[in-house]
Amino acid sequence: MTSAEREKTTTAADPAGPARPNARRAMAGRLSWGLADQAASSATNFVVGIYVARSLGLAAFGVFSLAWVTFGVVLGISRGLATDPLMVRFSGVPEASWRGAVARSSGTALGVGGVVGAVCLALGLGIGGPVGSAFACLGVVLPGLLLQDAWRFSFFAAGAGRKAFVNDLVMGAALVPAMVVAARVGSVGAFVLAWGASAAVAAGYGHLQSGIRPRPAGARAWTREQRDLGYRYLVENVGVSGAGQLRAYGLGAIVGVSAVGVIRGAELLLGPFLAVLMGLSLVTVAEAARVLRQAPHRLRAFCLLLGGGQAAAALLWGAALLLVPDRLGEFVLGDVWQAASGLIVPAVLGVAAASLGTGAAAGLRALAAARRSLRCQLIASTLYVGGGLGGAVVAGTVGSAWGVAAATLGSSAVWWLELRSALREHHQKPLPEVRTP
């Protein structure tokens, strides 16, 4: 009997027994660590963005934002191949299975960083100028950035969110002196290097925390074993981040590179709430997988509560942003504030719609319905790019923001329709067992 079958049998024997309150407390604890970890991670990203915006101005901030969205694409590749399959198949498994999987998945992330980093370095050196310098520096720091992210997901798969939180605190502490040095240099490339250097420090500490050495040599075996999920998640994640990159590049071409900085400024205003959203995303797939194993009939309600709660919180945060006085906004964002503040309403509505869809997305991941989630993401990415660039053609930066908000609402509906179909199919076939190496 597999570990998944034993867990399912044990739970089914006493579904309403005294273990339920303990299980709920354990889930609340894991969710709390997810929020705390993402708060630390987002605070780091927020500090980087604010520091660059205030130190270099709108145009340079736009260049930095192009490097940032490019990193998002590479991060999507790494997560799709390395850590997303880990979260689905190795959450709550015996430690020996988890350790072997983490060695190979973290090695995969490190390999992705090395290969793509070399490409970015070569392209950056060939392009030259401020943009080329930013991309060359991004290529140097990619391996450390991706490995640090892989440790975070690995700890959450094991239910050890506290370790992920501590790891992000280490990155934040290392960022402070790095930012001071970058400010003295005064270039976009220096800030990219400072950001990546702090991640490399945290990545090294992750090795000490886990006692696991990443195995890049195991990347081929890992991707082969997880290919039924990994390749679909790869396309899905690249669809998310690639859509953002296409929108940023297209917006820069249609309106100007400063417009990219304005959009990024609006995103920074949503930073604290996005910290909550992303923090929950670190643990919701693992929690949804646990709900599926222990009480499958509760999965739909879990996803609805997750998505609805996040959407309501986004609207509340947006209402608070509308009350921020201009003096405080200018203190935080400098010259970026005036343009970014005009995008608060469409940006908040877009995030609220996306939050609603994340509940359904977590359910599809837990069900390992990779084909359905891939279909949803391709539709969502197409709508996102079309709405963002179509709106830019019609009404510039503001039109792009409203186009994205409308597109996100439509894609959220698609996610929920696919989850409903996937739940119907799930009742007709047995739960797949957890894979062990």
Side-chain angles (χ1 to χ4, degrees), residues 143-286:
L145 286 166
L146 298 185
L147 181 57
Q148 193 269 339
D149 184 75
W151 289 130
R152 296 172 64 215
F153 277 75
S154 298
F155 292 140
F156 278 111
R162 178 178 175 274
K163 290 186 177 181
F165 173 68
V166 172
N167 192 274
D168 274 322
L169 287 182
V170 170
M171 181 175 176
L175 182 66
V176 174
M179 284 286 109
V180 172
V181 174
R184 291 180 178 178
V185 176
S187 68
V188 176
F191 280 102
V192 173
L193 289 175
W195 167 47
S198 63
V201 171
Y205 183 66
H207 166 64
L208 297 177
Q209 287 177 294
S210 64
I212 298 173
R213 178 177 298 177
R215 291 175 49 202
R220 179 175 297 180
W222 173 259
T223 54
R224 183 174 62 250
E225 293 168 6
Q226 311 301 328
R227 62 183 179 275
D228 58 325
L229 295 182
Y231 292 148
R232 288 194 173 99
Y233 290 159
L234 168 64
V235 177
E236 184 177 329
N237 291 349
V238 170
V240 176
S241 50
Q245 189 177 30
L246 288 176
R247 181 202 181 191
Y249 290 169
L251 188 62
I254 296 170
V255 184
V257 70
S258 295
V260 182
V262 173
I263 293 294
R264 177 60 184 158
E267 292 173 350
L268 285 175
L269 293 175
L270 291 165
F273 173 74
L274 292 176
V276 175
L277 180 63
M278 296 177 67
L280 289 174
S281 71
L282 287 172
V283 293
T284 50
V285 174

Side-chain angles (χ1 to χ4, degrees), residues 46 50 263-274 312-330 332-333 337-338 340-352:
F46 184 76
I50 294 298
I263 293 294
R264 177 60 184 158
E267 292 173 350
L268 285 175
L269 293 175
L270 291 165
F273 173 74
L274 292 176
L315 294 176
L316 289 174
W317 180 258
L321 284 178
L322 292 174
L323 301 177
V324 173
D326 286 341
R327 181 176 299 179
L328 178 58
E330 291 172 356
V332 175
L333 286 180
W337 164 255
Q338 288 299 327
S341 61
L343 305 183
I344 289 177
V345 173
V348 168
L349 292 177
V351 171

Side-chain angles (χ1 to χ4, degrees), residues 92 108 129 133 351 421 434:
T108 302
S133 175
V351 171
S421 299
V434 175

Side-chain angles (χ1 to χ4, degrees), residues 29-437:
R30 289 189 294 267
L31 290 173
S32 297
W33 280 118
L35 291 174
D37 169 77
Q38 191 58 45
S41 177
S42 293
T44 299
N45 295 338
F46 184 76
V47 167
V48 172
I50 294 298
Y51 217 76
V52 175
R54 290 180 59 84
S55 300
L56 302 181
L58 187 57
F61 186 55
V63 174
F64 181 83
S65 298
L66 290 177
W68 187 278
V69 297
T70 302
F71 164 69
V73 175
V74 183
L75 184 63
I77 295 173
S78 176
R79 288 180 176 177
L81 293 177
T83 52
D84 283 344
L86 180 79
M87 292 289 283
V88 171
R89 286 182 167 149
F90 293 90
S91 292
V93 301
E95 183 179 0
S97 298
W98 173 81
R99 292 181 68 86
V102 168
R104 290 176 292 159
S105 67
S106 60
T108 302
L110 192 59
V112 170
V115 172
V116 182
V119 174
C120 286
L121 177 60
L123 288 176
L125 294 176
I127 294 173
V131 174
S133 175
F135 275 81
C137 292
L138 177 64
V140 172
V141 300
L142 271 178
L145 286 166
L146 298 185
L147 181 57
Q148 193 269 339
D149 184 75
W151 289 130
R152 296 172 64 215
F153 277 75
S154 298
F155 292 140
F156 278 111
R162 178 178 175 274
K163 290 186 177 181
F165 173 68
V166 172
N167 192 274
D168 274 322
L169 287 182
V170 170
M171 181 175 176
L175 182 66
V176 174
M179 284 286 109
V180 172
V181 174
R184 291 180 178 178
V185 176
S187 68
V188 176
F191 280 102
V192 173
L193 289 175
W195 167 47
S198 63
V201 171
Y205 183 66
H207 166 64
L208 297 177
Q209 287 177 294
S210 64
I212 298 173
R213 178 177 298 177
R215 291 175 49 202
R220 179 175 297 180
W222 173 259
T223 54
R224 183 174 62 250
E225 293 168 6
Q226 311 301 328
R227 62 183 179 275
D228 58 325
L229 295 182
Y231 292 148
R232 288 194 173 99
Y233 290 159
L234 168 64
V235 177
E236 184 177 329
N237 291 349
V238 170
V240 176
S241 50
Q245 189 177 30
L246 288 176
R247 181 202 181 191
Y249 290 169
L251 188 62
I254 296 170
V255 184
V257 70
S258 295
V260 182
V262 173
I263 293 294
R264 177 60 184 158
E267 292 173 350
L268 285 175
L269 293 175
L270 291 165
F273 173 74
L274 292 176
V276 175
L277 180 63
M278 296 177 67
L280 289 174
S281 71
L282 287 172
V283 293
T284 50
V285 174
E287 292 305 323
R290 289 185 176 95
V291 170
L292 180 63
R293 292 190 180 100
Q294 298 172 5
H297 61 286
R298 296 181 180 273
L299 182 61
R300 187 194 303 271
F302 173 82
C303 295
L304 184 60
L305 178 63
L306 175 66
Q310 291 178 118
L315 294 176
L316 289 174
W317 180 258
L321 284 178
L322 292 174
L323 301 177
V324 173
D326 286 341
R327 181 176 299 179
L328 178 58
E330 291 172 356
F331 174 77
V332 175
L333 286 180
D335 295 338
V336 179
W337 164 255
Q338 288 299 327
S341 61
L343 305 183
I344 289 177
V345 173
V348 168
L349 292 177
V351 171
S355 300
L356 186 62
T358 59
L364 287 175
R365 286 288 178 95
L367 290 165
R371 183 175 298 177
R372 289 187 178 276
S373 62
L374 174 59
R375 184 185 304 126
C376 289
Q377 194 53 64
L378 291 177
I379 293 173
S381 297
T382 301
L383 291 175
Y384 181 91
V385 174
L389 296 186
V393 171
V394 174
T397 308
V398 175
S400 179
W402 279 106
V404 165
T408 306
L409 181 62
S411 63
S412 181
V414 173
W415 280 105
W416 278 100
L417 289 173
E418 288 290 347
L419 177 62
R420 183 178 64 176
S421 299
L423 286 171
R424 289 177 180 174
E425 289 182 356
H426 176 72
H427 295 304
Q428 302 174 4
K429 58 185 178 181
L431 180 69
E433 65 181 39
V434 175
R435 294 189 178 185
T436 56

